[in-house]
Amino acid sequence: METRSDSPRWLVDFQCPRCAGNVCLEETERIFTCAYCRVKLCLGSRGPLECYIPAPPGQDDNALYVPYWRLKGMAFTCTARSIHSGAVDLSHIALTAKTLPWSLGIQTQLARLRFLAPGVAGTFFAPTLTIGEAIAGCEANLKQLGMPPWTETALHRAWIGEQTSLLYYPLARRDGQIVDALQDRIFESVGQWEARAPAAKQPDLQVRFYAATCPDCGVDLDGDRDTLVLTCRNCDCAWKRGSEGLEEMPFYVIPDKTGEEQFGLPFWRIRVGVGGISLESFADYVRFCNLPRALTPAMAETPFFFWVPAFKVNAALFLTLIRRVTLFQWQGEFEQRLGSLKCHPVTLPAQEGAESLKTALVDLAADKRNLLPRLGDMEIVTKEARLVYLPFRARGGELISPQIPLGIQRKALQYGLNI
């Protein structure tokens, strides 16, 4: 529905598994249509996607490939004073090696990536740091650099919608030194490196390809780039993209009978249990937020749900959408047909949406002072998560919901496609 910006980003070159034609994707893309054979395919991987930056010609056999974790998504930090939020696009070394840069920076984005596969020349080192340890390392390094909000004491921090991958960067032995194979920087002597060199690994093929066609009727599914849910207009059904194939995905649509062109924005309707806080009914929610509403018996009998965007946007807008749509608490009917609805990509899994709820609680709470110290020990358990498309109508550069007094700038949705 919306398009992406042309800003520089990591690109992966490979060959189409059907016709061997050249394909180029952004590192976060998982669905593509080959320009040569016109076959639409999904890309899956067991675990994080593994790519490498090829060493310069002539250095392939002697190249030493060091792993870096790549992380892209949104970060929310709750401090004693406020909630800080923003998009993150980081890399952190996956080894304990103090002489090597902890981050790849942005200069290497000019290099093209390849999928890691058996037979690639060079020595590849296995990561020794988990993604969690790498995130902690990023936080510590950003704090040392004096960058807010990392310098403040965090009562709670959530990384939402993060896409993680392993990227192998080439080093080389040259004149008794370990050097950067791309930028000729000297890091340390060969002797120092070999004295504590990490264990090498055998490159393995992690990438799997499967057809992006409806398992029921065989037509091409709607959805591209990195959407998690593809839809079939012929069967009126939806399919969740997995690492090995497609799984049928239940969905619901809030009806709009006007007949106007509609754009469906996906939300997760999530019911949770929160340790130490009663949020079973809408009446509990009204009390928790201290809303200016008169409590009625019907409110006490109405189950309460959080409504979390199933797509990425500016982190501050993400919290605003949770607050506005959750406050509305749609109680009307649902449909299970797409019709002519133009669906915005689902780029945030339900589990990731649930991880944002501690931050959302702080944003919603009337008594933040008493809630903040309890965040670290608070447990949130997801009881139910349902994908619901909320219809919007285009009005110039804005999308307007006919059911909820809510408007979203289309540029904000476009920005979210690049997170």
Side-chain angles (χ1 to χ4, degrees):
M1 185 176 72
E2 304 299 334
T3 58
R4 298 166 189 252
S5 72
D6 295 325
S7 58
R9 46 186 34 87
W10 301 86
L11 299 175
V12 185
D13 293 323
F14 64 100
Q15 290 183 319
C16 172
R18 297 296 179 92
C19 70
N22 293 328
V23 180
C24 177
L25 295 183
E26 294 180 11
E27 61 164 336
T28 56
E29 292 184 60
R30 298 294 182 267
I31 305 168
F32 69 96
T33 300
C34 176
Y36 299 95
C37 65
R38 306 307 301 169
V39 173
K40 189 171 185 178
L41 296 172
C42 294
L43 185 157
S45 64
R46 298 174 181 173
L49 190 67
E50 298 189 25
C51 301
Y52 71 100
I53 301 176
Q59 301 183 32
D60 301 22
D61 293 336
N62 296 318
L64 307 172
Y65 287 94
V66 176
Y68 279 78
W69 284 109
R70 288 274 299 122
L71 176 71
K72 194 175 182 184
M74 299 179 290
F76 297 90
T77 303
C78 298
T79 68
R81 295 185 298 173
S82 60
I83 299 174
H84 302 276
S85 57
V88 290
D89 189 346
L90 302 170
S91 60
H92 191 280
I93 193 167
L95 300 174
T96 302
K98 294 183 179 180
T99 56
L100 299 180
W102 68 269
S103 170
L104 289 174
I106 61 174
Q107 185 175 352
T108 49
Q109 291 190 24
L110 299 176
R112 306 294 281 260
L113 308 180
R114 303 281 179 83
F115 291 131
L116 193 62
V120 177
T123 302
F124 289 80
F125 296 106
T128 59
L129 299 182
T130 65
I131 183 62
E133 292 169 330
I135 288 175
C138 283
E139 294 176 359
N141 287 313
L142 292 171
K143 182 177 182 179
Q144 187 176 4
L145 292 172
M147 298 179 63
W150 313 101
T151 52
E152 298 185 45
T153 300
L155 299 174
H156 171 67
R157 180 169 286 132
W159 299 75
I160 306 300
E162 67 270 23
Q163 296 193 53
T164 58
S165 59
L166 268 175
L167 193 158
Y168 291 86
Y169 188 85
L171 308 180
R173 295 183 180 90
R174 190 178 302 159
D175 299 327
Q177 304 288 334
I178 298 294
V179 301
D180 186 323
L182 300 181
Q183 303 180 52
D184 293 326
R185 294 175 294 178
I186 297 176
F187 295 128
E188 61 182 324
S189 68
V190 171
Q192 290 175 312
W193 171 264
E194 292 182 344
R196 52 171 180 74
K201 62 170 287 184
Q202 187 68 31
D204 187 21
L205 184 63
Q206 298 287 330
V207 178
R208 304 287 187 273
F209 295 96
Y210 54 89
T213 55
C214 178
D216 286 347
C217 69
V219 304
D220 279 352
L221 295 171
D222 290 343
D224 60 5
R225 303 254 184 181
D226 56 356
T227 184
L228 298 171
V229 177
L230 298 98
T231 56
C232 177
R233 300 291 171 173
N234 189 48
C235 299
D236 241 348
C237 59
W239 299 89
K240 180 182 177 182
R241 176 176 55 79
S243 60
E244 299 289 333
L246 297 169
E247 302 174 10
E248 192 164 8
M249 177 75 185
F251 71 93
Y252 302 86
V253 178
I254 295 178
D256 179 6
K257 307 294 186 181
T258 61
E260 290 189 49
E261 185 178 43
Q262 301 166 27
F263 297 88
L265 297 188
F267 283 80
W268 294 111
R269 195 186 77 154
I270 303 176
R271 188 174 186 183
V272 299
V274 183
I277 299 175
S278 178
L279 282 175
E280 295 296 322
S281 68
F282 187 61
D284 294 332
Y285 173 72
V286 170
R287 284 189 288 265
F288 179 78
C289 299
N290 195 23
L291 298 176
R293 292 193 180 185
L295 294 176
T296 64
M299 288 183 181
E301 297 175 0
T302 303
F304 170 73
F305 299 92
F306 283 101
W307 288 70
V308 181
F311 55 95
K312 299 175 188 177
V313 287
N314 171 281
L317 176 58
F318 185 82
L319 288 179
T320 299
L321 291 175
I322 294 177
R323 182 170 60 250
R324 294 287 300 277
V325 185
T326 297
L327 177 62
F328 186 77
Q329 284 292 302
W330 172 259
Q331 300 296 329
E333 62 179 357
F334 294 101
E335 293 182 345
Q336 289 186 279
R337 58 180 301 275
L338 295 168
S340 60
L341 190 70
K342 295 184 178 180
C343 300
H344 189 73
V346 176
T347 55
L348 193 74
Q351 181 181 357
E352 294 288 325
E355 290 181 9
S356 69
L357 293 183
K358 280 191 181 183
T359 307
L361 281 173
V362 175
D363 184 50
L364 294 166
D367 189 3
K368 292 180 172 57
R369 184 173 299 178
N370 290 328
L371 177 64
L372 282 167
R374 301 159 54 192
L375 286 178
D377 300 324
M378 183 182 295
E379 184 179 5
I380 296 181
V381 178
T382 301
K383 297 180 178 179
E384 175 191 332
R386 174 182 290 187
L387 180 64
V388 180
Y389 286 96
L390 179 61
F392 284 73
R393 304 170 188 168
R395 294 292 185 270
E398 193 173 19
L399 296 181
I400 304 295
S401 168
Q403 283 85 3
I404 302 174
L406 176 65
I408 301 176
Q409 292 292 325
R410 299 183 71 163
K411 285 187 176 180
L413 297 177
Q414 179 180 331
Y415 169 81
L417 293 173
N418 297 302
I419 295 177

